[in-house]
């Protein structure tokens, strides 16, 4: 058995899980509602405040999907109950960010500003203080969506190892390199 797949998913108070006949799992909670289509090989059952994910056999495909769908459903339960938060830090001289509603406006040393339209499921907040690095705070119930958005934002200026400039997660450590040594 899959160590992850066989673990039951505890359903906290205020969260409901429904599975329809097309094997689509819907999770509703105080932070929102998420849906996930589950492969027909995998069976999802809900009873007594616990969700179980089972597979019919030990074939390679069903073993792989067993742990996958259990993890996806667990992430949905945590998302609608508590939510996910990510903090990005812009490190570099002149790097700025501001938001107008769901549009982020980045100034990252290019000749033009970079505008990013965020989906309505993501709450965004920016903070810029004097002599401090700007921060972007993202919050959402969907773990996959918030991860994709963070990856997109980081791709504008990846953290580089020579000067340490770029967009990184708060608390992330970037190993620095020495660079070229001076000539004789």
């Amino acid at each position: 058995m899959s160590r992850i797949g066989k673990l039951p998913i505890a359903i906290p108070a205020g969260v409901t899980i429904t599975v329809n006949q097309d094997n689509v799992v819907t999770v509703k909670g105080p932070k929102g509602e998420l849906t996930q289509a589950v492969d027909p090989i995998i069976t999802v059952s809900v009873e007594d405040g616990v969700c179980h994910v089972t597979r019919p056999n030990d074939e390679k495909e069903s073993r792989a999907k067993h742990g996958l769908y259990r993890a996806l459903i667990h992430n949905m339960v945590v998302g609608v109950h508590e939510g996910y938060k990510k903090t990005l830090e812009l490190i570099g001289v002149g790097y700025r960010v501001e938001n107008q509603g769901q549009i982020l406006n980045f100034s990252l040393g290019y000749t033009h500003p970079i505008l990013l339209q965020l989906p309505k499921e993501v709450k965004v907040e920016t903070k810029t203080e004097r002599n401090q690095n700007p921060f972007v705070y993202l919050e959402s119930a969907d773990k996959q969506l918030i991860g994709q958005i963070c990856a997109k934002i980081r791709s504008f200026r990846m953290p580089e190892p020579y000067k340490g400039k770029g967009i990184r997660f708060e608390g992330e450590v970037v190993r620095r390199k020495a660079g070229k040594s001076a000539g004789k």
Side-chain angles (χ1 to χ4, degrees):
M1 284 298 278
S2 165
R3 290 184 184 180
I4 299 295
K6 69 182 179 183
L7 293 173
I9 302 168
I11 303 172
V15 176
T16 59
I17 297 178
T18 56
V19 184
N20 67 8
Q21 61 269 20
D22 296 332
N23 231 14
V24 175
V25 177
T26 305
V27 182
K28 293 180 185 175
K31 299 270 185 181
E33 176 180 341
L34 298 172
T35 60
Q36 173 68 47
V38 178
D39 195 284
I41 295 173
I42 303 300
T43 307
V44 180
S45 61
V46 180
E47 63 230 4
D48 300 331
V50 177
C51 180
H52 294 282
V53 180
T54 56
R55 65 175 191 241
N57 52 35
D58 276 348
E59 291 180 14
K60 187 173 185 177
E61 182 183 8
S62 60
R63 283 189 317 215
K65 291 180 179 178
H66 188 206
L68 168 74
Y69 285 114
R70 190 266 177 204
L72 290 175
I73 293 169
H74 179 263
N75 288 342
M76 290 174 17
V77 169
V78 172
V80 298
H81 185 249
E82 300 169 11
Y84 290 99
K85 296 180 175 121
K86 298 273 186 180
T87 304
L88 295 167
E89 183 177 10
L90 283 67
I91 299 175
V93 176
Y95 287 8
R96 292 189 307 273
V97 65
E98 55 189 28
N99 68 314
Q100 297 95 19
Q102 291 295 98
I103 298 175
L104 283 173
N105 184 0
F106 291 94
S107 175
L108 299 173
Y110 295 115
T111 58
H112 58 281
I114 298 172
L115 299 174
L116 180 65
Q117 173 72 45
L118 297 177
K120 64 181 182 339
E121 294 90 10
V122 177
K123 294 178 186 152
V124 64
E125 182 185 337
T126 58
K127 184 175 93 174
T128 306
E129 292 181 7
R130 189 168 171 85
N131 297 327
Q132 296 288 323
N133 292 325
F135 286 95
V136 179
Y137 301 100
L138 299 168
E139 185 176 350
S140 177
D142 193 345
K143 186 175 186 178
Q144 182 177 349
L145 178 65
I146 199 169
Q148 278 183 314
I149 291 170
C150 286
K152 179 69 175 174
I153 292 172
R154 279 172 57 98
S155 72
F156 298 147
R157 277 284 190 201
M158 291 295 289
E160 57 96 17
Y162 295 102
K163 293 183 180 177
K165 294 166 47 171
I167 301 172
R168 59 174 91 162
F169 291 107
E170 185 179 34
E172 179 183 0
V173 176
V174 175
R175 290 188 54 204
R176 301 289 299 274
K177 293 184 178 179
K180 292 183 181 179
S181 59
K184 292 183 181 182

